[in-house]
Each structure stands twice: as C-alpha cells, then as structure tokens.
C-alpha cells in the first residue's frame, strides 16, 4: 500500500508516548529534541527516559490521556494496550505509531539522517533493518554527493 511521506513540525505540539522502555525512550528523546511537548504515560521505564526531563505520568494508560494530542506513540510491550491506544487515537483523529504492529498504525517512524539542513527519511515497508542500512548508505555517500554539487548549503 502506498504511503504519503511527510515531515512534521511538532514544535510546541502535545505528543503522547505510551510506554517507557527502550523504544519509547528513543521516540520520546527524538520528539523532545524536535521541540514537542512530550507526555509519557507508563508505570515504570528506563533511567534514560527519566533523564529526558519530559512530563511523565507514572501510571497505566487511561481514557482521556490523548486529549489535545497531535500524535501518539503506542510503544508498550503489551499488544492489548497498544491496540486500545491506537483505537482511541483513531476515534480522536490523532496519528498513531504502533511500535509493535506497523500494519495497524496510522503513521510510521522512518530511519532518519539529519545532516545540517538536510533530513533523509527512509522507509522500507516492514523491514526496519533494510531502512537503517539504506539510511547508513546515504550517510556514507552524502559527502561525495555534496562535493559533486559544490555543497549548495
């Protein structure tokens, strides 16, 4: 199924991350770095999540947690919780990334390369390892590409 690639300006926007394990921590860190107003919902999580300094409600997900959200990441290790989050997001017309089931997501996180003003996002369907390999190949090739173009940055 074709997708519509898009970059989002999440600056100041409310984004909810449900879960606080390693995947949720990476997602919350990237969102915080992009300027999002990140709220984490999880009873426990990684030390790295605690170090992010984002708003963290240390409890289970509850109805109403998506109020005012622009985007949600369902990144728990409990499929049933992720399904409930995704269903409520769909009802509220909020984009939802399910870390456990890309086929049931309304949005996906690509493998991303940031190099100054250049952003490269790679999606390889349901093969994140391939996406990372392609992204890393672009990273290695980027200096040569820029050199051939006379580095227009």
């Amino acid at each position: 199924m074709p997708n519509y690639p898009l970059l989002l300006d999440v600056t100041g926007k409310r984004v909810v991350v449900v879960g606080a394990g390693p995947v949720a921590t990476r997602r919350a860190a990237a969102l915080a770095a992009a300027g999002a107003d990140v709220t984490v919902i999880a009873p426990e999580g990684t030390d790295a999540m605690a170090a992010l300094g984002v708003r963290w409600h240390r409890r289970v997900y509850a109805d109403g947690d998506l109020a005012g959200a622009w985007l949600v990441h369902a990144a728990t290790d409990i499929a049933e919780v992720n399904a409930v989050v995704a269903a409520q997001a769909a009802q509220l017309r909020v984009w939802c990334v399910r870390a456990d089931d890309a086929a049931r997501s309304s949005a996906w996180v690509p493998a991303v390369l940031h190099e100054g003003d250049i952003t490269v996002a790679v999606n390889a369907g349901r093969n994140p390892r391939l996406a990372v390999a392609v992204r890393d190949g672009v990273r290695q090739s980027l200096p040569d590409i820029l050199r051939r173009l006379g580095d227009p940055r």
Side-chain angles (χ1 to χ4, degrees):
M1 174 168 53
N3 295 312
Y4 183 75
L6 177 71
L7 297 174
L8 300 175
D9 178 1
V10 294
T11 306
K13 306 285 191 300
R14 183 165 192 266
V15 178
V16 176
V17 177
V18 182
V23 172
T25 300
R26 285 194 308 272
R27 304 268 172 92
L31 289 160
D37 176 11
V38 179
T39 297
V40 174
I41 313 257
E44 56 188 39
T46 65
D47 291 340
M49 182 67 86
L52 288 178
V54 297
R55 185 178 309 106
W56 185 355
H57 300 288
R58 294 177 184 256
R59 58 172 174 75
V60 298
Y61 176 80
D63 287 348
D65 281 341
L66 301 184
W70 288 68
L71 173 67
V72 62
H73 284 259
T76 75
D77 57 0
I78 304 168
E80 294 81 11
V81 171
N82 293 339
V84 167
V85 171
Q88 290 181 353
Q91 288 174 343
L92 295 170
R93 296 183 179 179
V94 175
W95 296 108
C96 180
V97 178
R98 272 190 71 169
D100 67 329
D101 192 347
R104 295 178 191 249
S105 294
S106 60
W108 301 266
V109 176
V112 177
L113 163 64
H114 293 289
E115 183 68 38
D117 289 343
I118 298 171
T119 299
V120 176
V122 180
N123 182 306
R126 295 187 183 140
N127 190 337
R129 288 189 179 133
L130 177 58
V132 167
V134 170
R135 178 207 57 202
D136 292 348
V138 171
R139 177 180 283 128
Q140 289 178 335
S141 301
L142 191 56
D144 291 335
I145 293 167
L146 292 172
R147 194 171 20 262
R148 282 196 308 266
L149 294 172
D151 199 345
R153 297 180 296 168

